């Protein structure tokens, strides 16, 4: 996927631009569908309250993906403010820009959250949603996000705790194999990122650090498939979510559990935030 050996087992979101076009389109569709899911909306409401955006502010969404949150923030900061939607993927940024009405004050910038090309104290608030779990050095990203936030400004991190993933209604042996697969998809991927966010913000020197666990609940496979890709039969086999030899049995069991109304899945996403101390 990439020439950098340190990044070579980082998972698809670490280098989206290296993906074949059909896989990129699946991924963009996944991001768009997730943004519209009521359980993700619940996570984002929690993060919105933690960031507390105000008219006229300058905000950064690092790893902005398809840009849904950047657009919502832009509507609040208005013409006197600005939202920078930053992402490592040029292709994702182009798609996000195409989705953004030109009257919204969003600036699209390609960059690396671990090496930000912004001066210190540039932003009133910064956020990064489901980005740190993909990084080789997440603390460097937290340090950079803190550096570019002005004293008194807010840093808000949102990330998944994949180890919290739970399912009921499918045979236990199959669920155990799938859990093992999920937690070993990529050597570099941080499956516990969500629960570590608070500690990382404290270490970065932020004050008034809060952490909120939002447990997403999915009462049927269709709902779960939007956020947990291993329940989604449309994710291509090349993504490696489901072992090839188990694919037919897994999706048949998941569908059958749904038909019996015995399916249940849950996943916790954490929202942590803090303020940059005023010197
Ligand atoms: C799972 S997606 C989340 C996108 C968006 N935050 C959302 O919640 O829909 C992860 C995003 O982080 C971006 N990303 C990965 N590594 C990055 C890095 N080092 N710097 C900036 N963005 C990065 C990816 O290109 C991708 O758009």
């Amino acid at each position: 996927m990439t020439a950098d050996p340190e990044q070579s087992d980082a998972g698809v979101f670490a280098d989206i631009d290296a993906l074949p076009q059909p896989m990129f389109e699946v991924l963009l569709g996944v991001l768009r569908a997730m943004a519209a899911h009521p359980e993700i909306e619940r996570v984002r409401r929690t993060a919105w309250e933690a960031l507390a955006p105000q008219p006229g502010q300058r905000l950064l969404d690092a790893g902005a993906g398809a840009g849904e949150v950047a657009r919502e923030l832009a509507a609040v900061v208005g013409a006197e403010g600005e939202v920078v939607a930053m992402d490592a993927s040029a292709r994702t940024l182009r798609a996000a820009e195409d989705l953004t009405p030109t009257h919204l004050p969003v600036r699209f910038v390609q960059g690396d959250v671990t090496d930000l090309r912004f001066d210190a104290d540039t932003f009133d608030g910064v956020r990064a949603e489901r980005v740190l779990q993909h990084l080789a050095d997440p603390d460097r990203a937290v340090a950079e996000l803190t550096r570019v936030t002005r004293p008194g400004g807010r840093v808000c991190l949102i990330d998944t705790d994949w180890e919290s993933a739970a399912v009921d209604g499918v045979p236990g042996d199959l669920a155990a194999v799938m859990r093992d697969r999920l937690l070993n998809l990529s050597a570099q991927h941080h499956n516990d990122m969500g629960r570590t966010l608070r500690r990382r913000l404290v270490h970065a020197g932020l004050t008034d650090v809060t952490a909120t666990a939002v447990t997403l609940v999915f009462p049927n496979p269709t709902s779960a498939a939007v956020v947990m890709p291993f329940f989604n039969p449309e994710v291509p086999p090349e993504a490696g979510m489901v072992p090839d030899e188990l694919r037919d049995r897994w999706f048949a069991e998941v569908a059958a559990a749904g038909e019996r109304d015995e399916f249940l899945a849950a996943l916790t996403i954490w929202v942590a935030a803090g303020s940059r101390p005023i010197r």
Side-chain angles (χ1 to χ4, degrees):
M1 290 214 339
T2 158
D4 179 353
E6 274 211 76
Q7 298 275 321
S8 63
D9 192 19
V12 291
F13 279 116
D15 189 3
I16 294 182
D17 287 351
L19 296 174
Q21 184 64 16
M23 186 79 104
F24 169 71
E25 278 161 20
V26 169
L27 226 65
L28 192 64
V30 165
L31 289 180
R32 302 282 292 138
M34 280 180 82
H37 195 293
E39 290 294 78
I40 293 291
E41 285 175 354
R42 207 153 61 79
V43 173
R44 288 185 172 173
R45 275 199 298 279
T46 302
W48 186 277
E49 284 163 22
L51 188 64
Q54 303 294 324
Q57 283 188 330
R58 193 156 186 226
L59 302 174
L60 170 68
D61 191 7
E68 293 88 2
V69 176
R71 285 186 284 281
E72 287 174 16
L73 291 171
V76 169
V77 302
E80 302 299 308
E82 182 185 52
V83 176
V84 175
M86 199 276 288
D87 202 283
S89 160
R91 198 149 61 153
T92 305
L93 281 174
R94 272 197 302 277
E97 193 161 7
D98 286 347
L99 289 163
T100 303
T102 49
H103 71 273
L104 286 177
V106 184
R107 187 155 59 92
F108 296 89
V109 175
Q110 189 178 7
D112 179 354
V113 66
T114 64
D115 185 17
L116 291 172
R117 301 298 154 114
F118 302 110
D119 291 340
D121 309 347
T122 296
F123 296 99
D124 299 295
V126 303
R127 74 189 298 284
E129 177 172 346
R130 290 180 288 122
V131 179
L132 267 58
Q133 63 184 280
H134 304 290
L135 302 179
D137 190 352
D139 285 328
R140 200 162 136 203
V142 179
E144 278 293 82
L145 289 167
T146 303
R147 179 184 66 79
V148 302
T149 303
R150 67 160 169 84
R154 300 285 289 162
V155 178
C156 179
L157 303 175
I158 302 107
D159 236 301
T160 321
D161 200 310
W162 285 105
E163 287 180 6
S164 74
V167 61
D168 190 38
V170 296
D173 65 317
L174 197 51
V177 174
M178 285 301 295
R179 183 180 174 75
D180 194 51
R181 177 69 158 209
L182 166 69
L183 298 180
N184 291 292
L185 260 181
S186 145
Q188 185 190 289
H189 191 260
H190 303 273
N191 293 314
D192 63 348
M193 182 52 70
R195 75 187 70 169
T196 72
L197 294 178
R198 184 180 185 285
R199 167 171 53 84
R200 293 177 195 278
L201 289 177
V202 169
H203 285 182
L206 297 179
T207 57
D208 304 320
V209 179
T210 59
T212 307
V214 184
T215 297
L216 289 63
V217 176
F218 307 103
N220 60 66
T222 309
S223 174
V226 177
V227 177
M228 302 168 91
F230 40 91
F231 291 123
N232 185 352
E234 283 163 31
V235 171
E238 308 86 89
M241 292 285 162
V242 184
D244 287 343
E245 65 283 8
L246 288 183
R247 205 176 156 82
D248 290 349
R249 182 173 167 227
W250 171 248
F251 286 117
E253 291 286 3
V254 167
E259 279 156 25
R260 294 191 306 270
D261 197 17
E262 288 181 2
F263 179 92
L264 188 71
L267 180 71
T268 296
I269 297 184
W270 287 81
V271 176
S275 297
R276 175 111 192 265
I278 297 172
R279 286 185 281 257

